Amino acid sequence: MDLTTNYLRSVDSNENIDIAILVNNIILDAVGQQSSDIHVEPWENTIAVRIRVSGILQELTHLPLELLDRITGRIKVMADLVTYESELPQEGRAPASPEFGNVELRVSVFPTVRGEKVVVRLFDPRNRSFDLKTLGFEPDTLEQFMKLIRRPSGLILLNGPTGSGKTTAIYSALCHLVETHGPTVSISTVEDPVEFNLPMISQSQISNSRGFTYPKALRSLMRQDPEAIMIGEIRDPETASIAVQAGLTGHMVISTIHSDSTAGVYARLINMNIEPFLLASSIAGVLGLRLLRTICEHCKVEAQPNSEQLGLLPDEFVQTTTFYTGQGCDHCADTGYHGRVAVTELLMSDEVTREGVIQKMRTRKLRDLAIDQGMTTLWQNALAKVQRGVTSMDEVVRVVAVDQL
Ligand SMILES: [Zn+2]
């Protein structure tokens, strides 16, 4: 049983609850279950306490609403926030402490009509491995991607929704560069926020409130003589323009950008007023990323997908594949899944796709062109994991949009 439930059972009334112990137990339970976030949210009749495990929110406990102010007050103290302010959002952090297994807490407090909602993001450096080989890329994608990042110049973009493993993949790419080149390569990053400190890499944290914005940081960074530059995210035309210029002038630039598909990254940048011919010559490749939960080994059973899912699959695939799912057990908190694996789609820039970009080809058409040129899609790479019994059809359909089939 979790510590929070145990503690609540040990006290006889709400007045006797020690808020510091309660909050500590919630954090310890979240850490123990390797969750990424804790949500403390006032609902109609209770405070819902939920944790995000492998990308999925699940309930930890419910608490009486009357405890809300004391709980948010306690978390604000821990994160060094203004305790009497309850009508404006606040953000803060509590540094890693051995008490919580060296997990750093990033706290966001947000006012709602029912009171303040608190989300605590947990950063656990011990759980993170920055080795490209362990992310779950299919072997040919891994080889191509490694080749890409060892190039002396060009722009490499990663694309995927929040929580799709972009930061881990980018950090792994930078660590791979350090491993390959050792002290002969100068690597700088500008990030918002810096999530982990990497060895032999100069990382900088953007601060918009102090005017240290992405464009400002990058313009100065160009005078720092870097070989490789990591930009946390391209989200405005100025940053996009500097990134493209840097990629064209002998730097390896790696960054992330939001768009609804891998091929859609080009249209997004054209909308940021970047000339298509500059994109064609600077972008070396775009990596689409998602994370699939992997089936728990302790409760894995054979299970045929439902008819709707079968309808999405080629007959030959169905005939040659043994499908699995997780039934749920104590090892996986009854979810049927344990851990996650990356699924990718690598759009390599070549003569044909470059020509398509220069002609401002529509995203769908550009994608078809990339497939003709040998791009394995997210869907195909996800099915390869189903075929190996790593994940289930339920998970593939949940994570990879069917329009990407
Ligand atoms: Zn299980």
Side-chain angles (χ1 to χ4, degrees), residues 115-145:
E116 288 172 296
K117 177 188 171 190
V118 181
V119 173
V120 181
R121 178 149 274 209
L122 307 173
F123 283 93
D124 185 353
R126 298 163 313 161
N127 275 343
R128 304 295 288 260
S129 110
F130 295 119
D131 180 353
L132 276 176
K133 296 190 187 91
T134 63
L135 303 181
F137 287 21
E138 296 297 316
D140 48 339
T141 310
L142 180 65
E143 196 183 316
Q144 279 183 315
F145 187 65

Side-chain angles (χ1 to χ4, degrees), residues 37-106:
D37 306 80
I38 306 169
H39 292 221
V40 178
E41 183 172 351
W43 284 0
E44 225 166 320
N45 301 312
T46 64
I47 305 171
V49 180
R50 294 180 291 173
I51 56 177
R52 190 178 293 283
V53 181
S54 294
I56 307 279
L57 264 187
Q58 57 192 53
E59 289 180 329
L60 180 66
T61 188
H62 284 264
L63 299 168
L65 267 181
E66 65 200 68
L67 296 178
L68 186 65
D69 289 347
R70 290 169 66 203
I71 293 174
T72 55
R74 169 66 192 161
I75 296 175
K76 283 179 191 170
V77 167
M78 293 172 74
D80 208 11
L81 298 175
V82 184
T83 46
Y84 56 80
E85 175 60 75
S86 60
E87 290 177 4
L88 288 173
Q90 293 192 70
E91 277 153 38
R93 55 189 280 269
S97 80
E99 188 183 4
F100 300 127
N102 289 313
V103 166
E104 183 188 324
L105 311 177
R106 302 250 168 102

Side-chain angles (χ1 to χ4, degrees), residues 162-270:
T162 305
S164 58
K166 298 189 295 284
T167 305
T168 306
I170 248 180
Y171 281 179
S172 304
L174 296 180
C175 289
H176 177 70
L177 275 184
V178 168
E179 267 165 42
T180 314
H181 300 291
T184 65
V185 64
S186 159
I187 306 176
S188 287
T189 79
V190 280
E191 305 172 59
D192 183 22
V194 171
E195 295 191 17
F196 296 97
N197 295 325
L198 304 172
M200 297 170 69
I201 295 174
S202 292
Q203 294 172 277
S204 300
Q205 166 105 35
I206 292 303
S207 166
N208 288 320
S209 60
R210 284 184 288 128
F212 190 54
T213 59
Y214 273 121
K216 185 161 191 176
L218 286 169
R219 274 194 298 268
S220 293
L221 194 58
M222 300 309 288
R223 292 188 279 273
Q224 290 269 312
D225 187 28
E227 261 109 12
I229 300 168
M230 185 276 239
I231 304 169
E233 187 187 349
I234 295 177
R235 52 190 176 205
D236 62 90
E238 217 180 340
T239 304
S241 164
I242 301 171
V244 165
Q245 285 304 331
L248 287 172
T249 52
H251 304 89
M252 204 288 278
V253 182
I254 184 162
S255 186
T256 70
I257 184 164
H258 275 283
S259 91
D260 51 11
S261 68
T262 311
V265 162
Y266 291 90
R268 176 88 205 280
L269 285 163
I270 289 170

